[in-house]
Amino acid sequence: MRRHNMKLVTTIKEMREQVRRWKAANLTIGFVPTMGFLHEGHASLIRQAAEECDKVVVSIFVNPMQFGPTEDLASYPRDIDHDKGVCLENGAQLIFFPEVSELYPDGFSSFVNMDGLTNGLCGTSRPEHFRGVCTVVTKLFNIVQPDRAFFGQKDAQQLAIIRRMTIDLSFPIEIIGCPIVREPDGLALSSRNKYLNEEERTAAHCLSAGLNIGKSLFENRERDTHAIKTAVLARISQEALARVDYVEVVDPDSMQPIEKIDNAALCAVAVFIGKTRLIDNIILED
């Protein structure tokens, strides 16, 4: 990756001015929204954006609106110096790094709500979460005005929600879903993996191991989702440190549970390993 200058801006005004200059020069903008503490999963999104667009903006914002009252907002890992290095090495031109007060000034009282897609899976145990995601992504889309935005498949429900919101709210943005990046043992990369001690890290392998059992059943012509869910749950439950939040097989677009797989399905899991809640999923399709 050739070295280039990279800017870090903290205000909406500066971000808009830069966007105006790029648009005036007919340059396309790729956008990777993140909460920072970037890992190889994020790096893969930035690289894909750099391949497909003239300029790449990475936002780093730990969004308080998508954390519940008992969740890990205060302890969520942060390391802006590390993040700058990842952005520079992988082809980003600009980091948007606003304070909370810049995006949510005093008196802020408008929210983006969605029905349906947000109700199941993570929406059940984290009821406010997707309102926070939709609100902040809407704001970021309006500020950055990207041509394309890149999201990881690991957050499959979030990806489906953002696709739907982009259509519903008429954003002229192409949403690109990018493959899950995994550790050699299969664990999906996540900033929250940092919370795991050595024993928990070993235990966390049960998520991908369970999903792979579901996938092999599907590949052996099993189409009954109850059978697939039961097998995935059984494998995860073998792990003493695991506490299952959900195991579901859903339609990949509507995120609604299905009983039989006709075309494609998404098998999604959320599991507490110790105090850390991890999510993972696998697409089941011929």
Side-chain angles (χ1 to χ4, degrees):
M1 184 67 65
R2 63 187 180 78
R3 304 306 273 179
H4 57 270
N5 291 329
M6 187 181 66
K7 286 171 74 170
L8 184 143
V9 306
T10 58
T11 68
I12 295 169
K13 182 172 179 287
E14 284 177 286
M15 188 69 243
R16 287 197 196 282
E17 284 167 0
Q18 181 60 74
V19 167
R20 255 197 304 273
R21 286 195 290 273
W22 285 339
K23 299 258 184 200
N26 279 326
L27 298 170
T28 57
I29 300 172
F31 179 43
V32 182
T34 80
M35 294 210 301
F37 209 69
L38 304 181
H39 51 63
E40 177 54 33
H42 298 110
S44 71
L45 302 181
I46 297 168
R47 285 196 298 273
Q48 187 166 341
E51 281 170 23
E52 296 184 18
C53 305
D54 298 318
K55 300 292 180 182
V56 178
V57 176
V58 177
S59 64
I60 295 174
F61 181 66
V62 181
N63 176 29
M65 201 188 287
Q66 67 194 66
F67 287 78
T70 60
E71 292 180 346
D72 55 341
L73 175 62
S75 63
Y76 194 84
R78 295 160 168 87
D79 186 346
I80 187 63
D81 290 333
H82 162 81
D83 291 348
K84 283 183 196 167
V86 174
C87 289
L88 186 63
E89 282 160 27
N90 290 283
Q93 278 74 29
L94 189 146
I95 296 173
F96 181 48
F97 184 54
E99 293 283 340
V100 172
S101 58
E102 181 71 10
L103 287 193
Y104 304 131
D106 283 350
F108 186 90
S109 52
S110 303
F111 305 93
V112 179
N113 276 317
M114 184 184 290
D115 288 330
L117 277 174
T118 55
N119 296 345
L121 302 182
C122 291
T124 306
S125 52
R126 306 182 72 194
E128 297 297 306
H129 174 69
F130 288 119
R131 181 177 88 152
V133 170
C134 288
T135 302
V136 79
V137 171
T138 294
K139 283 187 67 87
L140 291 167
F141 280 0
N142 281 330
I143 294 162
V144 177
Q145 296 173 45
D147 298 280
R148 292 180 171 180
F150 298 78
F151 293 86
Q153 176 64 36
K154 185 177 80 75
D155 299 296
Q157 186 177 17
Q158 171 179 281
L159 176 58
I161 285 166
I162 287 166
R163 283 192 202 285
R164 181 78 251 166
M165 182 185 84
T166 300
I167 293 165
D168 288 354
L169 301 184
S170 307
F171 284 113
I173 299 169
E174 187 181 354
I175 305 299
I176 312 286
C178 304
I180 297 174
V181 178
R182 298 181 179 279
E183 300 276 11
D185 73 347
L187 180 67
L189 292 187
S190 166
S191 302
R192 287 190 167 99
N193 292 350
K194 173 183 183 286
Y195 299 149
L196 304 170
N197 64 31
E198 206 170 317
E199 187 188 7
E200 290 167 341
R201 170 65 188 79
T202 305
H205 174 248
C206 71
L207 279 79
S208 61
L211 289 169
N212 284 330
I213 286 172
K215 187 173 201 286
S216 71
L217 278 175
F218 177 81
E219 286 169 351
N220 288 314
R221 313 307 301 158
E222 180 60 75
R223 293 296 180 268
D224 177 67
T225 61
H226 179 73
I228 292 172
K229 277 169 33 177
T230 302
V232 174
L233 183 60
R235 172 60 185 90
I236 295 172
S237 301
Q238 285 172 13
E239 177 47 64
L241 294 179
R243 180 166 61 82
V244 174
D245 181 359
Y246 64 75
V247 173
E248 291 288 354
V249 180
V250 299
D251 177 282
D253 297 320
S254 73
M255 294 287 135
Q256 294 306 303
I258 50 178
E259 290 179 9
K260 281 267 186 292
I261 303 173
D262 292 326
N263 301 313
L266 180 84
C267 184
V269 300
V271 181
F272 286 92
I273 304 288
K275 289 183 177 164
T276 304
R277 184 177 180 278
L278 302 176
I279 61 172
D280 200 353
N281 65 79
I282 202 158
I283 293 169
L284 307 177
E285 62 184 348
D286 293 315

